[in-house]
Amino acid sequence: MFRLAVLGALGGASASGMCGPKEPPLPGIMGGKDKPKIILGQDGDGANAYLGVPPESDFDVAGIGHDIAHGLKEVCDIDIITAEMRWGDCWDNGAIGAGLAAGEVHGCMTYTHTHGARTRWMEFSDGILSNNKPAGLIVRLDANGNPMYNGASDLNGLKVVDVVGWAPTADTLALVENKCTKSRFTGFTIVNPTVSTGNANQDALTTLMNGDADAMWVYADQAKNYQCTDGMTPNWDCTMWAGFGTTFAYIQTGLFGHAKGGTTLAMSKKGSGLASILNPCIALFKETKSYYDICVKHDMVASCFQNSHFPAGDNTTLVYETPTDQLTTTCAQGYCPCPAV
């Protein structure tokens, strides 16, 4: 199979014909001799970025980003190393994380390319998933299953808890449109979680459910992703997340204004040049059957870029991608429609 000779990050010559670094240098790390050696980090606490268990792996980092990163070796002359790294060491509370700033890895995997702070601080590779990772707003439900605040709320005077270190970032809530009123949200206060469990999504939901916030700004599919199933080793409160549709629900979903692009393979320091190394390989790999197989493995076919190996004709819009004013679900299903006018 044709394999691309990746251009060196610092010299512009092909990796196989260039003396010197083939990738951005990292302290304490021996660089690639004949080809780029790229080290990418991820945490292990998510539905699509986790610690694999046998037979998938012997508790190594795993997930769709990990699999696509190693898949690049199929189309490019490149070494890929994936390492465990806390999300907070990649991106933390509106700024580059300490670990990425210190050069512990070249980049962090599966970050969404958002507007605002991330674009000011970071460089992003091309996407490995399409821009269909919408945001949403979660609120508590009362004893009768009704939302404490409905989709017509502009959030004025309310406290909205941020999932620190995750997209959608706190600064992008002001950029999205309320799908029920067609106006932007205004007059709200972003607050940080009041608890610390080591899992940012858990911290935010606990803060909401404790009454320390009125709403939670979060990915529109996160509540679905945090439902516990057999074989998982979650580091979150399965019982609390099982309240999806009974104790909490989304009042806004299908919000896309926060993102410039979809989920990327690598987020790195601005000016690192990492994207110029990875992007040609990503483009080639997204055309392979291996890419399709990885999307199937992780149940992400609907979110992947279609190529000739994907079945034709399935353009189903998932519920969390659907704007609130087009929902036919109920709060009991986790996604409240716009209130009747």
Side-chain angles (χ1 to χ4, degrees):
M1 176 180 290
F2 170 77
R3 300 173 76 201
L4 181 68
V6 185
L7 296 184
L10 303 179
S14 70
S16 59
M18 172 188 169
C19 295
K22 308 297 187 296
E23 69 286 311
L26 296 180
I29 301 295
M30 181 73 73
K33 180 179 179 182
D34 301 314
K35 55 189 173 182
K37 181 171 77 173
I38 304 300
I39 303 175
L40 300 174
Q42 69 162 64
D43 211 334
D45 66 348
N48 298 307
Y50 53 91
L51 297 182
V53 298
E56 181 179 17
S57 75
D58 292 338
F59 304 104
D60 194 4
V61 292
I64 192 166
H66 166 277
D67 290 353
I68 290 175
H70 286 280
L72 299 188
K73 294 179 285 188
E74 179 181 319
V75 295
C76 280
D77 194 21
I78 189 171
D79 279 338
I80 298 289
I81 297 170
T82 48
E84 185 173 7
M85 189 169 185
R86 296 291 170 259
W87 296 128
D89 278 324
C90 296
W91 179 259
D92 187 34
N93 202 17
I96 187 172
L100 193 52
E104 294 179 12
V105 295
H106 287 108
C108 293
M109 295 187 288
T110 65
Y111 274 79
T112 302
H113 188 177
T114 60
H115 291 285
R118 281 191 183 174
T119 298
R120 296 194 300 271
W121 283 90
M122 314 304 292
E123 173 181 300
F124 290 86
S125 75
D126 288 342
I128 55 172
L129 300 175
S130 60
N131 187 16
N132 64 346
K133 188 74 168 171
L137 285 164
I138 289 175
V139 301
R140 297 185 303 279
L141 300 178
D142 65 20
N144 296 316
N146 298 312
M148 302 294 290
Y149 306 93
N150 64 39
S153 172
D154 63 3
L155 304 182
N156 187 44
L158 301 186
K159 293 184 291 184
V160 181
V161 64
D162 177 40
V163 182
V164 175
W166 284 64
T169 53
D171 55 345
T172 58
L173 177 54
L175 301 179
V176 299
E177 177 189 74
N178 181 316
K179 295 302 181 181
C180 298
T181 65
K182 307 304 180 185
S183 300
R184 288 188 172 185
F185 300 102
T186 185
F188 55 85
T189 300
I190 293 288
V191 298
N192 283 339
T194 54
V195 297
S196 179
T197 66
N199 182 300
N201 286 278
Q202 181 63 58
D203 294 346
L205 185 63
T206 301
T207 300
L208 174 69
M209 300 310 292
N210 286 348
D212 295 327
D214 303 303
M216 176 177 167
W217 177 229
V218 63
Y219 278 136
D221 63 346
Q222 204 70 302
K224 174 186 74 68
N225 292 339
Y226 269 54
Q227 299 306 302
C228 296
T229 58
D230 292 341
M232 294 179 67
T233 53
N235 69 338
W236 59 84
D237 185 338
C238 293
T239 301
M240 183 177 290
W241 285 93
F244 183 41
T246 55
T247 60
F248 68 91
Y250 286 91
I251 58 165
Q252 290 285 332
T253 189
L255 304 178
F256 287 96
H258 67 291
K260 294 189 70 172
T263 301
T264 62
L265 181 61
M267 178 184 73
S268 59
K269 284 184 180 180
K270 199 159 192 171
S272 69
L274 182 62
S276 65
I277 298 175
L278 294 177
N279 285 350
C281 306
I282 293 170
L284 287 173
F285 188 69
K286 286 193 296 188
E287 298 302 319
T288 65
K289 185 176 184 300
S290 296
Y291 174 72
Y292 168 69
D293 291 340
I294 290 170
C295 295
V296 171
K297 172 185 173 182
H298 294 283
D299 194 24
M300 298 286 285
V301 169
S303 298
C304 288
F305 292 96
Q306 305 289 296
N307 65 32
S308 61
H309 302 283
F310 283 67
D314 186 5
N315 295 313
T316 302
T317 299
L318 300 174
V319 61
Y320 58 83
E321 298 173 344
T322 305
T324 313
D325 59 337
Q326 298 176 26
L327 287 174
T328 58
T329 51
T330 66
C331 293
Q333 294 169 288
Y335 294 95
C336 300
C338 292
V341 294

